[in-house]
Amino acid sequence: MNAAVNSGAEGFLHRFDGLRARLPGTRMPWVQALREDAATRFRSAGFPTRRVEAWKYTDLRPVSDAGFDEALSILGDSADLPAPLCDRRAVFVDGRFREDASTLGSAEFAVDGLAQRLPQLEGRLGSLARPQEEPLVALNTMLFEDGLVVTVPAGVAGGLLELASFASGSERPAAFHPRHLIRLEAGASLTIVESARGPAETRYLHNPVFEIEVAEGATLTHTRVQQEGAKAFQLGTIYARVEAGGTYDNFTLNAGGRLVRNEIHVTLAGPRATCHMNGAQLLRHGQHADTTTFLDHAAPDCASRQTYKTVLSGKSRGVFQGKIHVHQVAQRTDGYQMNQALLLSPDAEIDSKPQLEIYADDVKCSHGATVGALDAEQLFYLRARGIPEEAARSMLVQAFLAEAIEGVADATSRAALEAAVSGWWEPAA
Amino acid sequence: MPAVAETLDTVQSVTEGTYKWGFSTDIEMDFAPKGLNEDIVRFISAKKNEPQWLLDWRLKAYATWLKMDEPTWPSVKYPKIDFQDAYYYAAPKVKSGPKSLDEVDPELLKTYAKLGIPLKEQAILAGVEGAGDSPSEGGRMPIAVDAVFDSVSVATSYKARLAKDGIIFCAISEAVHEYPELVRQYLGSVVPQGDNYYAALNSAVFTDGSFVYIPKGVRCPMELSTYFRINAKSTGQFERTLIIADEGAVVSYLEGCTAPMRDENQLHAAVVELVAMDDAQIKYSTVQNWYPGDAEGRGGIYNFVTKRAQCRGARSKVSWTQVETGSAITWKYPSCVLLGDDSVGEFYSVAITNNHQQADTGTKMIHVGKRTTSTIVSKGISAGKGQNTYRGLVRVAPSASGARNHTQCDSLLIGDQCGAHTVPYIENRNMTAKVEHEATTSRIAEDQLFYCRQRGLSEEDAVGLIVNGFCREVLKELPMEFAVEAQKLLQISLEGSVG
Amino acid sequence: MLKIEGLTAEVEGKPILKGIDLEVPDGEIHAIMGPNGSGKSTLSYVLAGRDGYEVTGGTAHFNGVDLLGLEPEERAAIGVFLAFQYPVELPGVGNANFLRTALNAQRRARGEGELDAMQFLKAARARLKELQMSEEMLKRGVNVGFSGGEKKRNEVLQMALLRPKLAILDETDSGLDIDALKIVADGVNALRAPEFSSLVITHYQRLLDYIVPDRVHVLMAGRIVKSGGPELAKELEATGYASVQAAA
C-alpha cells in the first residue's frame, strides 16, 4: 500500500494529536491503547487508494482532500427534528448522543450513549471491528466520541428502536465517527430503524462503525435509510457476527450524500445462522454510492440471501461489490446473491463485482448480476395503454425498486423506505 | 459415448500417474547460456538472423520488463521464480536453410508421431490415439500443422496447398524474413510490449510460434494448428503467435501442447495476438495439456499466457474456446477488444484443477463498437486440492450503444479439499447496453452418481459422464477431433479424484 | 429369482427394515404395498445398493448371488433395475448418450458385444415406438426439464432397453395420470416372461389394475405383515391399512 500519508490522513492525525486529552476514555488505559494502535495503523495505511482491490471503484480523494479541521464535532441545535417513527428513539447530532432529544422510555433493556458507558465496554468495543483490517475503522477508533450501546437480554423481544442521526450544519466542515455497539443475547429480538440526514449545503463526514453481536437464536432486523445532505460523505462500516440459529437482516437504502460507502461484513459463526442483506441505491447528479458486502460462511448449514438494486441518473456512479466466502467447514451452505442496476442516463456508470470464494464442496452458491436500461417493450406497452412516457418510466423504476422493498417484513421499516423512495423520485420526475 | 469407456482403459493402462505425454526426446540441442540479460536477447535475435528493427523492439521490451513487477493479484501461490535459472533458447540442431519435412530429424518425427501429431501431409491430427469415436477418416479435411519444439518451429505442413489460396501459414521466425511488412505492422499491435509482466518478457525473448495471414475474402480450406512441445530441461518456452484475418476471411485454428514429466517447474509465457478485419471470423481453440505436476504437486508447467484479439472490423467475430486440463499453474485471460460495430466476441472455457493444480483464468470483453455482443461460458471443475478461479471483465465504453453481454460461470467441486472462486468485474458506461452475469457452484450429487451406477456405470465412468455433461456447452464449440480428445482428457485429469 | 431372508437395515442409525422375508420366483410379479414411512423405498434402495442405507442383518440373494456384497453397477449388470420414485436430472448429459453408455457398460460386464451408435439408435427407436414416445426424448438431457410423467416414462424406456431380469418399481405410479399409468404398465407387461420378475412398490391399488400381481405383500413398520393374492390389494383399497394393522 501507499507509504506516503496523504494530506487528508495527515489532517485527521493532527486532530488526534490535539484531541488526545479530550476524547472520551482519556483516563482508561485500554481505550488509550485502542486509540494509539488505531492511529499507528491509520498513519501507515492512510486512506485506501484505488490500488487497493476493495477500493478499486471508489476514490476517497474528495474525502481526504476535504480538510476536516474542527477540533471536536460541533453540537448543533436539534430543535427541528422530524417526528419519531416509533415510541423509542435515540437521537444523535453530529455523532453525539443527545439524551435530551431522545425518547427512550423504560424498557426491559438499556439504550445508552457510548461515552457514558465506556467504563463497562472494555473487551466489547473493538472486538469485531479491528483497525488492522480497515483504515476507516482505524480512523473511527482513533477519533470516536460517542455512539449507541444496546444490549437486549436473553429471550427479550425488544420491539422497535429508531436510531436517528443528524448533522447540524456548520460553517466549517465537521467530521464525526460514532461507534455503535449492538448486542442481542440468546433468543432476543430487536428491530432497528436507522436514519441519517443532514443539511443540503454543508459538507461533513459521517463515519459510523457498527459492532453487532447476534447470539444463539436471536434476531436483529436492521433497516437503514441514508438521506445525508447533498454535499456529505458517509463512510459506514458494519461488522456483524451471528451465532447458531441467529438471524441478521440488513436493508440499506442509499439515497443521499455525495460520496457514500456502505460496507458490511457478516460472519455466520454458528450452524443454521441466517443473513439477509438487501438494499437499494438511488443516485442522481454526481452522486457516488458504493455498497460492498463480505459474507463469511464460517459454519455449516447457514443460509444467506442478498439482493441489491441500483438506479442511476445524471452523472452518478454506482458500485456493488459482494463477496461470499465459504469456509471448508461450512458444508451445506446455501448462498445467493443478486445485484441489478438500471441506467437512466447516458452519463451514468455502474461497476459491479460479485465474487464467490468457495472451499466446501456440499454447497449451493450462486450469484447473478444484470445491468441495463428500462425495458423498451415494457415502456411501449405502458405508453400504448395511454400512460405518458415520464409516468411510465417512473412506474417501471418504482416497480424495479418495489421488488427489493417488498421483502422488508417490518411495517415501520417498509414505510420509512417507501417514503424515502417516493421522496427521491418526486423532484426527479 | 464409448470415449468414456476408452478413457478408462487409458487410465488403467497408465501406471506412472496419469500423464501419458510425459516422455522426453533425446536429441542434440543448441542452447543459449543459462540466464537472462541483454546479451541473451541479442543472442536469440542473432540466432534467428533478425533485422535490426526487431532486435531494437526486443531490447525495448526487455528494458520495460526490468522495470515491471511480477503480478501478485491472481489467486495462485508459487515460490518466486528465478528468471536467471532457465534457458531462454533451446533448439534441436539442424542445418540452416529452408525446412522441408524430409529434412526433419527422424527423432522429432517419431516424437510427434508418439504424441499423435503426424507431420506427414495427408495424415491427420488424431488427438489421443485410438480415437475410435471419430467418424470415418476417409472424407475428412486434413489439418495443417506447425510443430514447435522448445524454441523453434521444426516443421509446417500443407504450406504449398495453403499458398494457392494466398494463405500464409508458417513459423513466425520465417515470417519475419518472408513477410516483414506484415509482421512489423501487426506485431505488438494487440498486446503492446509493456502490457503486463509476462507479455513484456515474451516480447524480449520470444523464439518461435505461428504466423497466419488469411487474405481478403478467403475461407481457409482446412483447420490450421500448432502443436507446442516443451522437451528440454530447465527451459522456458516463449512462443508468439500472430493471426490476421483480412476482410471477410474465415479461419479455424487449433492449439495443443504437452511437456515431459519433470520435478522442476518450467515456465511457458506465450503471447497470442489475433486481428479480425471487417466481416472476418477467427475461431481459436486450445486444448492445454502441459504437464500438471505429480499428485504431490512437484513439477509442472507455469502457464502464464497473454491472448488477445482485436475485432477491428465491422461484423468481425472472434471465438476463443479453451480446455485447460494441464499445467501446475494457469494464468490466462483470452480476451476480445470489440472495436468494430456489430463485432462479436466469444469465450468458452473448461478448466480442471486436480491434485495441487491452480488455475486463474477467464476473459476480458471490452465493448467499444456499437451493438457489439459477447458471450462468456466458463466451466470450472475443482478436484483433489485444486484451486480454480474464474476472473473476468466485461467493460462497456460510453461509445458502445446497444452492446450485449451474457456470462455464465459454473463451478463444480469434487471433494472437500478443493476451492472454486468466481471474480467477475462488470463496468458499464452506456445506458443502452445490457449485461447479464450468472454464476453457480455445485458438486456432483450423490443421487446423480447412484442413478448412473444403478444403470450399470462405474463410479469413475459416472463422474466422467456427469463432468462431460457439465462441460457440454463448451465442448460442443470445439472442432470434432479436439472434442473427442478433450472429453478423454477431462476424465484422465480427474483420475483419482473419486472414491 | 429374488430371495430375501431376515433383512434388517437402518438409515442414519434409525432402524427402518426390521426383518423382511420375501421370495419372488422366476416369472412372477409381486406387489409391495404399505402406508407412508413403512420402509418401501428403503427396501428398494437396499436392494439397489444405495449408500447410506445400511444393512444390519439378513441376506438377499439374486439367482443365488449374494446381492448385498455387490456394487450398484454390478447389481445392474446382473439384471437388477430400479425405476426411481424421483429420477434425478443430469444436466448436459444427453439421454441417448446416457442410455448407450449404460447399456454397453452392462453388456461389457456380461461379456456381450457392445452396440455401435447405429445399432443402439435402431434398438432405442423400436422401444420408443412401442412406448408411444417421441424421439425428442433421446435428444434431451437426462430428465432435465421433464415433467413428472415424462420422467417416469423415461424410466420405463430405460427398463425396456436395458431388459433387466428383475425390475423394482418404486412408486412409479405416483404423480401419473391414467394414460401415463397405462404406458408404464404396458412397459412392464411387455417384459413379462418366464425369466423376468418384478417387484412393484406402490401406495395405491390403482397401478395393480394394469399390472396384475401374482402376490401382494403388505409392508408395515419395516415388516411384511400380510401376504396374499391379487385380491388382497382390492381388500386393502376397501378397508385401508388400519384394518391390517389391527389384525396384525
Side-chain angles (χ1 to χ4, degrees), chain B residues 219-272:
Chain B
R219 177 177 283 267
C220 186
M222 61 180 85
E223 305 265 358
L224 304 184
S225 95
T226 305
Y227 196 89
F228 295 99
R229 174 79 178 164
I230 295 178
N231 184 66
K233 250 182 106 161
S234 307
T235 302
Q237 192 176 56
F238 305 91
E239 91 263 5
R240 186 109 195 170
T241 292
L242 179 53
I243 300 176
I244 301 138
D246 216 326
E247 286 171 29
V250 178
V251 61
S252 171
Y253 178 91
L254 322 172
E255 177 195 65
C257 36
T258 57
M261 299 199 303
R262 298 193 190 284
D263 280 347
E264 60 179 4
N265 294 110
Q266 286 174 282
L267 178 63
H268 171 253
V271 172
V272 175

Side-chain angles (χ1 to χ4, degrees), chain B residues 1-2 4-5 133 446-459 461 465-470 472, chain C residues 50 71-73 76 80-82 84 88-94 97-98 101-102 105-106 108 143 155 158:
Chain B
M1 187 179 56
V4 167
D133 202 32
E446 184 274 330
D447 60 351
Q448 290 178 321
L449 273 183
F450 177 64
Y451 189 81
C452 293
R453 294 179 73 194
Q454 206 299 308
R455 295 298 182 256
L457 300 180
S458 70
E459 196 162 353
D461 279 357
L465 192 74
I466 291 166
V467 167
N468 272 312
F470 175 75
R472 191 186 172 110
Chain C
R50 185 166 192 158
E71 292 296 311
E73 58 269 32
V80 177
F81 179 92
L82 171 63
F84 287 68
V88 294
E89 300 189 357
L90 302 174
V93 179
N97 181 12
F98 174 70
T101 310
Q106 293 196 21
R108 205 168 47 239
N143 295 326
E155 294 291 287
Q158 293 183 24

Side-chain angles (χ1 to χ4, degrees), chain B residues 25-174:
Chain B
T25 306
D26 198 8
I27 192 163
E28 206 181 344
M29 299 288 284
D30 246 354
F31 284 97
K34 219 175 196 180
L36 181 56
N37 51 53
E38 210 175 282
D39 288 342
I40 293 292
V41 177
R42 290 178 189 279
F43 175 94
I44 292 168
S45 189
K47 264 283 170 200
K48 299 191 169 280
N49 197 21
E50 284 175 354
Q52 185 65 36
W53 70 265
L54 190 50
L55 174 61
D56 293 344
W57 195 83
R58 285 176 181 277
L59 290 170
K60 192 177 149 213
Y62 179 68
T64 308
W65 180 74
L66 284 177
K67 282 183 237 138
M68 297 176 86
D69 292 323
E70 221 175 314
T72 52
W73 48 263
S75 304
V76 296
K77 291 191 191 93
Y78 55 92
K80 198 144 180 61
I81 297 171
D82 181 356
F83 288 94
Q84 297 306 333
D85 191 31
Y87 294 105
Y88 288 81
Y89 183 85
K93 276 194 175 146
V94 282
K95 54 184 181 289
S96 57
K99 284 172 288 183
S100 89
L101 286 172
D102 304 333
E103 292 173 82
V104 175
D105 189 318
E107 269 305 308
L108 284 176
L109 288 180
K110 263 197 267 171
T111 300
Y112 282 88
K114 202 167 164 187
L115 293 168
I117 316 291
L119 295 176
K120 283 199 324 210
E121 298 191 357
Q122 300 308 321
I124 54 154
L125 176 70
V128 177
E129 59 256 58
D133 202 32
S134 322
S136 67
E137 294 176 0
R140 267 190 311 167
M141 199 39 103
I143 293 172
V145 180
D146 182 19
V148 176
F149 191 84
D150 288 326
S151 302
V152 293
S153 166
V154 292
T156 309
S157 60
Y158 288 102
K159 277 161 78 172
R161 164 69 190 85
L162 292 166
K164 273 193 214 162
D165 290 325
I167 295 168
I168 303 168
F169 178 44
C170 65
I172 199 158
S173 54
E174 193 180 331

Side-chain angles (χ1 to χ4, degrees), chain C:
Chain C
M1 176 84 55
L2 178 68
K3 190 169 187 191
I4 302 172
E5 287 175 309
L7 184 65
T8 58
E10 56 184 46
V11 179
E12 289 175 356
K14 194 177 162 216
I16 306 288
L17 301 183
K18 296 168 185 164
I20 304 273
D21 293 291
L22 176 66
E23 190 165 355
V24 183
D26 289 0
E28 288 195 3
I29 291 185
H30 286 210
I32 294 195
M33 301 184 70
N36 289 333
S38 57
K40 302 194 299 291
S41 285
T42 298
L43 177 60
S44 65
Y45 283 142
V46 165
L47 292 177
R50 185 166 192 158
D51 279 352
Y53 290 78
E54 196 165 342
V55 175
T56 48
T59 59
H61 284 87
F62 180 73
N63 290 335
V65 178
D66 174 14
L67 205 52
L68 304 178
L70 300 181
E71 292 296 311
E73 58 269 32
E74 293 169 335
R75 301 185 201 201
I78 60 172
V80 177
F81 179 92
L82 171 63
F84 287 68
Q85 187 179 358
Y86 305 107
V88 294
E89 300 189 357
L90 302 174
V93 179
N95 216 10
N97 181 12
F98 174 70
L99 280 170
R100 187 174 154 216
T101 310
L103 183 60
N104 281 337
Q106 293 196 21
R107 291 180 69 98
R108 205 168 47 239
R110 293 193 293 258
E112 298 166 10
E114 298 184 22
L115 299 188
D116 67 25
M118 287 318 293
Q119 292 169 317
F120 168 77
L121 214 56
K122 211 174 141 200
R125 282 189 181 132
R127 299 292 94 75
L128 281 166
K129 209 172 159 200
E130 286 165 18
L131 295 165
Q132 302 168 42
M133 285 159 63
S134 144
E135 225 175 282
E136 255 327 278
M137 201 87 168
L138 289 178
K139 293 177 188 154
R140 294 163 67 181
V142 178
N143 295 326
V144 176
F146 284 25
S147 69
E150 280 177 321
K151 283 183 183 171
K152 296 297 172 68
R153 282 205 221 180
N154 197 27
E155 294 291 287
V156 174
L157 170 66
Q158 293 183 24
M159 181 173 73
L161 264 168
L162 297 172
R163 301 208 154 264
K165 293 197 177 80
L166 173 70
I168 304 165
L169 274 57
D170 186 6
E171 304 217 16
T172 300
D173 52 334
S174 66
L176 286 192
D177 62 26
I178 197 75
D179 292 332
L181 197 69
K182 278 184 187 160
I183 288 168
V184 169
D186 289 349
V188 176
N189 290 331
L191 290 174
R192 280 204 173 198
E195 64 282 3
F196 172 80
S197 303
S198 182
L199 204 54
V200 179
I201 293 172
T202 181
H203 188 79
Y204 301 105
Q205 193 264 336
R206 195 174 67 147
L207 178 65
L208 305 181
D209 286 343
Y210 301 96
I211 306 175
V212 180
D214 297 293
R215 298 281 291 166
V216 174
H217 310 277
V218 181
L219 184 66
M220 294 183 85
R223 284 195 185 85
I224 288 174
V225 294
K226 195 170 182 183
S227 298
E231 70 286 349
L232 178 57
K234 296 212 162 50
E235 198 179 298
L236 281 169
E237 187 81 352
T239 60
Y241 291 112
S243 63
V244 184
Q245 192 144 37

Side-chain angles (χ1 to χ4, degrees), chain A residues 244-261:
Chain A
T247 300
Y248 177 59
D249 283 357
N250 177 300
F251 189 103
T252 302
L253 176 74
N254 274 334
R258 171 183 165 201
L259 191 164
V260 171
R261 167 96 157 187

Side-chain angles (χ1 to χ4, degrees), chain A residues 244-287:
Chain A
T247 300
Y248 177 59
D249 283 357
N250 177 300
F251 189 103
T252 302
L253 176 74
N254 274 334
R258 171 183 165 201
L259 191 164
V260 171
R261 167 96 157 187
N262 163 35
E263 181 171 320
I264 311 178
H265 300 250
V266 176
T267 302
L268 297 176
R272 297 173 316 284
T274 307
C275 176
H276 297 97
M277 277 194 274
N278 301 312
Q281 308 194 109
L282 309 178
L283 310 175
R284 60 178 167 228
H285 308 311
Q287 278 181 291

Side-chain angles (χ1 to χ4, degrees), chain A residues 53 56-57 328 331 343-346 348-375 393, chain B residues 73 387 391 393 395 398 409 413-443:
Chain A
E53 181 66 22
K56 186 178 169 67
Y57 295 117
Q328 204 190 329
Q331 295 293 352
L343 290 164
L344 302 179
S345 138
E349 174 175 349
I350 177 79
D351 299 306
S352 165
K353 186 187 160 200
Q355 200 175 335
L356 297 172
E357 190 169 339
I358 293 172
Y359 297 95
D361 62 334
D362 189 3
V363 299
K364 268 172 78 173
C365 278
S366 60
H367 67 213
T370 65
V371 173
L374 284 176
D375 187 281
R393 283 180 185 280
Chain B
W73 48 263
Q387 297 293 331
R391 189 182 302 275
L393 168 68
R395 176 181 288 153
C409 271
L413 292 121
I414 303 173
D416 61 0
Q417 302 290 306
C418 53
H421 319 302
T422 313
V423 191
Y425 296 75
I426 301 162
E427 302 174 2
N428 186 358
R429 298 182 64 189
N430 186 299
M431 67 175 283
T432 62
K434 195 169 176 181
V435 180
E436 293 171 323
H437 171 98
E438 289 175 71
T440 66
T441 300
S442 55
R443 64 166 186 167

